[in-house]
Amino acid sequence: MLTSAAHADVNGALRGVIHDPQHRPIQDAMVMLRSKSSEWSKTASSDSSGAFQFNGVPLGEYTVSVASKGFAQVEQNVTVISGTVPVLHFQLQIAGNAENVSVTAEGAVAPTDSFTPTTLVSRNEIDRTPGADRTNSMAMITNYVPGAYVTHDQLHIRGGHQTTWLVDGIPVPNTNIASNIGPQFDPKDIDYLEVNRGSYGAEYGDRTYGVFNIAPRTGFERNNEAELVLSAGNFYQTNDSLSFGSHSQRFAYYASINGNRSDLGLQPPIPSVVHDAANGYGGFASLIFNVNPSDQLRFVTALRKDYYQVPYDPDFNDLESSQFDSAGTRDGDHESDVLINSSWVHTFNSKLMLTASPLFHRNSADYESSPNDYPTATTDRHTSTYAGGQVSFSANYSKNDLQAGFYGFHQNDSQELGILFNCATNGDPQFSYPNCVSGELPPPFVDSEPASGGLAAFFLDDKFKPFPWLTLSAGFRPTRFSGAGITENSISPRFGATVTIPRLGWTFRGFYGHYYQAPPLLTASGTLEQFCTENGCSFIPLHGERDEEFQFGVTMPFRGWTLDVDSFRTRVNNFFDHDVIGESNLFFPLTIQEALIRGWELTLRSPRIARRGQLHLAYSNQVAYGGGAITGGLTDFTTDLCSSDDSRSNASLPSLCPLDHDQRNTLNVGADVSLPWHSYASTNVYYGSGFSNAFPDEPYPGNYLPGHTTFDLSLGKDFGERYSASVNGVNVANRRVELDNSTTFGGFHWNNPREIFVEMRFRFHY
């Protein structure tokens, strides 16, 4: 079933007004919009009121030039993010007899009509940030986004791990929880990454914690040029790719292939690295064809396959094994992902635009054990297939910016779960229990659970700008989900406002809204249901997560510096989380009755200091609480996850206790410096105050694990226009710490040891 859908475009828009020194409008002035990262450009002319507008502008950084006969040329820098319409003001000066004056704004003009805290990461930052361009690296997010970190091999942001990926404004549907490792796309294929942290307009989806909106490389940045990337480092790691692209006035293409392997894949359960190899390959392609000035066709496809050995602790006599014994596991995780989407973008005029996009996504995560694993050898083969589409309509008129449309998909799931019960054969005392001698082990079973469902959503959102300094937004998003024996309806209202202080340029923002996140298509019947009954557990159907969010913030630009501060509070019913089945490492999604996540965040970005250095800082102070009963998934009938004597419970909220990924303080500070002789240095320092301790005072004192600090460094040099090389160090000081002791993917998790690798880039024309 192919349903129509809608979602916010990856594009924004741009408006401006041109005046002469007497503040009279200038008609027929030539305006050129040029990308700073490619040869993409657009031109327009001002009308009788001196106004101009560009629609369908991809997110990124641009230069706007204005020229008119008899006046000096003027330039301004501007940053465009999705769903915003920055407004520029140009006052042209009379040109002298032999003068050619170009005025450039000191800092990039930032949008003042967005109530969503946004971080924009450029291709140059991804290339230079230590380790960020590796295929499975999340550093392009964690180094720049407050409250974002990786623990038990999953990206968490704002206290959760339900996030949405978009490419060219089209969502990648995925209702599963914690089933995949690494980013949706290879960072080397990204031109800009836009990270939105809550406070979404109704045109966006319902993954509360983060929306990752990418503008991929398109070929506009190349002219029959290819790039080969080769790397090698400790743990026998390599991360390689070959990409090529080009463009004409009407057509642009980009394609890449990549491969990687390492003996250090997942976070190990102990300081040593045992049984932890990983490898994978993938590809990406983007095609853009301008049929005519009003119609554009886009096509994007991506493929990836990955394999991870699951590390274990071979010493069943150490402290970690006494809390969670992983000595008997030899598990592996196979993942694959295929994405195909296309778009037709029709511009009626400078104010009206229509986008129609069919999409297809197939994702699988196959977790397999050695048949000799003890106490259980588990197998879980899970494939999800999504087919759907989106249709969105945007209109920019007078003081209103309207977004309307539909979003929907049909989903087919196939899941096969198998469990084999074994005894230890190497004298592991924890699993040499009496029934191993008597042979009274539970019989093995295999259970197959096919399921299907679908989601359809409508949205309507309007931004009203009664004054240049005030933006008001209101919208709603009705959603209907059906599948796995349940049907749910939700209407999510959302309201936002921004106020910009004239002359000072500070923008204050506020937001209140509701979200609905569709559940995974999981059911339990037959053998699995019987197994649960025999072992004192039950399966409760999973329902959607419902969230309520408040947020306030302020953006303060000053001479090219940008300081952004926000405070948020999210209250959740049916919080999506995950747990393992028994002593296996097998993820199984569940929902918790309630959760409360609140905090405040700070980001700081500098301009180019002395044209050489740029600084970034991201800080988060956050608490993530959960509690109540398990309301969906496998349950042992516990009525309250937080016991009354749990020392970690919140005194003001005794029914809630910290979630396993609760970390109070997270800080990233980094710098990128251009050095003489076409070289550079890039650094990042990460500090985390420590995650919630599942075993208070054993062995670490208190309710939280130890704090940890790591330092990353990259040194690079260009050898002409074709060759470049860099040396990268991640966790240079090799500071090790137990990150978390939640029982997922190999039991506990220590941070990764020091990694050193060299990367070579070779560019050539064909």
Side-chain angles (χ1 to χ4, degrees):
M1 178 180 71
L2 189 65
T3 59
S4 53
H7 207 279
D9 275 329
V10 74
N11 299 329
L14 187 66
R15 295 176 183 171
V17 180
I18 306 170
H19 295 114
D20 66 11
Q22 282 73 45
H23 209 70
R24 294 173 299 191
I26 299 177
Q27 186 176 1
D28 295 326
M30 187 186 74
V31 186
M32 175 173 283
L33 177 67
R34 301 191 310 273
S35 170
K36 287 188 173 184
S37 63
S38 71
E39 295 184 14
W40 187 95
S41 65
K42 273 189 175 184
T43 59
S45 298
S46 58
D47 60 20
S48 59
S49 62
F52 65 89
Q53 178 161 330
F54 294 99
N55 235 1
V57 181
L59 62 90
E61 298 169 303
Y62 295 87
T63 297
V64 181
S65 303
V66 176
S68 184
K69 186 177 180 180
F71 296 92
Q73 181 174 318
V74 177
E75 283 187 355
Q76 286 193 49
N77 297 322
V78 62
T79 299
V80 175
I81 61 176
S82 60
T84 63
V85 187
V87 179
L88 305 181
H89 295 272
F90 292 91
Q91 181 172 304
L92 304 189
Q93 302 297 322
I94 304 297
N97 292 334
E99 292 180 356
N100 183 14
V101 180
S102 178
V103 180
T104 303
E106 187 175 50
V109 176
T112 60
D113 58 345
S114 174
F115 45 79
T116 303
T118 301
T119 301
L120 191 66
V121 183
S122 69
R123 182 179 75 229
N124 184 67
E125 290 170 320
I126 294 174
D127 288 345
R128 291 191 174 190
T129 301
D133 67 346
R134 293 186 292 181
T135 299
N136 291 321
S137 173
M138 290 288 192
M140 63 179 177
I141 298 173
T142 57
N143 284 19
Y144 294 93
V145 180
Y149 42 74
V150 174
T151 183
H152 43 262
D153 299 299
Q154 300 290 329
L155 175 68
H156 293 73
I157 177 172
R158 283 205 164 190
H161 39 56
Q162 289 291 89
T163 58
T164 296
W165 288 88
L166 297 91
V167 56
D168 272 340
I170 304 171
V172 180
N174 190 352
T175 62
N176 295 315
I177 302 172
S179 61
N180 294 102
I181 301 166
Q184 179 70 44
F185 301 96
D186 190 324
K188 293 185 285 295
D189 296 323
I190 296 175
D191 195 32
Y192 282 94
L193 168 69
E194 178 191 71
V195 182
N196 297 315
R197 313 187 307 272
S199 298
Y200 315 121
E203 72 272 21
Y204 281 99
D206 292 293
R207 295 296 183 91
T208 312
Y209 308 102
V211 171
F212 306 131
N213 198 355
I214 79 159
R217 298 195 180 189
T218 60
F220 279 111
E221 70 279 356
R222 299 187 179 186
N223 288 299
N224 295 325
E225 186 180 19
E227 182 179 60
L228 177 65
V229 179
L230 301 173
S231 70
N234 62 339
F235 297 103
Y236 298 99
Q237 66 175 286
T238 184
N239 200 294
D240 312 315
S241 73
L242 174 64
S243 60
F244 52 92
S246 189
H247 70 278
S248 63
Q249 287 187 336
R250 298 181 62 190
F251 179 67
Y253 68 89
Y254 171 87
S256 71
I257 55 174
N258 63 75
N260 67 89
R261 66 96 45 217
S262 176
D263 283 347
L264 175 62
L266 305 179
Q267 294 173 337
I270 53 174
S272 303
V273 178
V274 180
H275 193 262
D276 200 11
N279 60 75
Y281 62 87
F284 181 87
S286 169
L287 306 175
I288 297 178
F289 178 61
N290 294 314
V291 181
N292 53 53
S294 299
D295 296 282
Q296 184 184 81
L297 300 177
R298 301 175 183 172
F299 175 82
V300 171
T301 184
L303 163 73
R304 61 174 293 181
K305 289 184 73 70
D306 293 289
Y307 170 71
Y308 302 91
Q309 289 181 336
V310 176
Y312 64 90
D313 177 4
D315 184 0
F316 49 76
N317 292 313
D318 61 13
L319 174 64
E320 288 83 3
S321 288
S322 68
Q323 296 173 331
F324 180 83
D325 190 347
S326 63
T329 61
R330 303 295 184 270
D331 301 348
D333 181 49
H334 296 262
E335 299 183 3
S336 65
D337 196 274
V338 178
L339 169 70
I340 301 173
N341 68 44
S342 58
S343 295
W344 168 51
V345 182
H346 178 70
T347 304
F348 296 95
N349 52 48
S350 63
K351 300 179 183 298
L352 300 176
M353 187 172 69
L354 174 72
T355 303
S357 306
L359 60 89
F360 172 84
H361 182 216
R362 182 181 177 88
N363 176 271
S364 68
D366 296 340
Y367 193 97
E368 298 180 345
S369 301
S370 165
N372 297 318
D373 279 10
Y374 66 89
T376 58
T378 55
T379 300
D380 182 28
R381 299 184 179 96
H382 189 180
T383 300
S384 300
T385 303
Y386 308 83
Q390 68 177 21
V391 175
S392 63
F393 176 78
S394 62
N396 307 124
Y397 271 112
S398 183
K399 299 178 180 181
N400 295 81
D401 296 313
L402 179 71
Q403 294 275 352
F406 296 90
Y407 168 59
F409 60 81
H410 179 77
Q411 176 181 353
N412 279 328
D413 265 33
S414 173
Q415 184 168 23
E416 180 181 306
L417 176 65
I419 299 181
L420 178 66
F421 299 90
N422 295 314
C423 295
T425 59
N426 62 349
D428 187 340
Q430 188 169 348
F431 296 105
S432 295
Y433 37 76
N435 59 353
C436 283
V437 178
S438 63
E440 297 176 358
L441 292 174
F445 78 90
V446 175
D447 183 73
S448 180
E449 300 287 350
S452 63
L455 179 144
F458 168 79
F459 69 78
L460 179 64
D461 191 275
D462 182 46
K463 287 183 178 178
F464 175 55
K465 203 161 191 174
F467 308 103
W469 49 269
L470 175 64
T471 301
L472 303 174
S473 177
F476 69 100
R477 187 182 179 91
T479 303
R480 179 180 176 85
F481 171 80
S482 179
I486 66 168
T487 298
E488 295 185 324
N489 297 288
S490 174
I491 297 179
S492 302
R494 299 176 192 177
F495 304 94
T498 66
V499 177
T500 301
I501 307 301
R503 297 178 181 262
L504 190 61
W506 292 11
T507 299
F508 293 85
R509 60 181 184 268
F511 173 83
Y512 172 77
H514 286 248
Y515 305 90
Y516 167 80
Q517 301 183 50
L521 288 181
L522 287 180
T523 60
S525 60
T527 326
L528 179 56
E529 191 172 36
Q530 180 182 354
F531 169 76
C532 283
T533 302
E534 293 173 350
N535 288 271
C537 69
S538 178
F539 178 83
I540 303 174
L542 289 159
H543 291 263
E545 178 176 311
R546 298 175 187 266
D547 308 84
E548 179 187 48
E549 182 187 45
F550 296 87
Q551 182 159 270
F552 301 93
V554 57
T555 301
M556 296 174 281
F558 179 74
R559 295 186 177 180
W561 292 77
T562 302
L563 175 66
D564 187 277
V565 183
D566 67 77
S567 175
F568 70 94
R569 179 182 182 273
T570 303
R571 195 79 195 224
V572 187
N573 290 321
N574 281 343
F575 178 76
F576 285 141
D577 209 341
H578 53 80
D579 204 347
V580 292
I581 298 178
E583 294 291 341
S584 73
N585 290 306
L586 184 61
F587 275 170
F588 204 90
L590 53 80
T591 53
I592 301 172
Q593 183 174 330
E594 61 178 324
L596 173 65
I597 304 163
R598 62 190 180 196
W600 69 274
E601 302 168 331
L602 181 148
T603 62
L604 177 67
R605 287 288 193 111
S606 79
R608 276 280 164 188
I609 302 172
R611 297 185 179 181
R612 288 194 176 273
Q614 190 168 23
L615 304 174
H616 70 267
L617 181 150
Y619 170 75
S620 171
N621 176 269
Q622 173 186 279
V623 295
Y625 287 109
I630 294 176
T631 57
L634 293 179
T635 177
D636 60 358
F637 306 103
T638 300
T639 58
D640 194 344
L641 296 177
C642 302
S643 60
S644 58
D645 59 348
D646 192 335
S647 60
R648 301 173 300 161
S649 296
N650 187 344
S652 60
L653 298 168
S655 63
L656 301 180
C657 56
L659 296 168
D660 60 358
H661 50 263
D662 177 51
Q663 178 167 255
R664 298 302 170 89
N665 295 285
T666 307
L667 173 67
N668 278 277
V669 181
D672 176 77
V673 181
S674 296
L675 302 174
W677 303 297
H678 303 287
S679 58
Y680 71 87
S682 182
T683 65
N684 188 78
V685 177
Y686 162 75
Y687 166 75
S689 61
F691 294 100
S692 176
N693 187 1
F695 304 92
D697 299 320
E698 297 180 12
Y700 304 103
N703 298 321
Y704 287 84
L705 295 172
H708 44 280
T709 304
T710 58
F711 171 70
D712 305 333
L713 174 65
S714 177
L715 300 172
K717 177 175 172 55
D718 294 330
F719 299 91
E721 295 184 357
R722 292 191 174 186
Y723 300 92
S724 64
S726 64
V727 178
N728 301 266
V730 180
N731 191 10
V732 174
N734 199 29
R735 300 188 66 174
R736 307 299 307 283
V737 67
E738 186 177 70
L739 278 184
D740 77 277
N741 46 18
S742 60
T743 53
T744 51
F745 270 170
F748 302 158
H749 304 86
W750 285 65
N751 67 324
N752 285 349
R754 176 172 51 226
E755 296 178 76
I756 305 291
F757 63 95
V758 177
E759 184 176 88
M760 304 287 293
R761 292 175 180 263
F762 173 53
R763 305 169 189 88
F764 59 94
H765 289 277
Y766 55 88

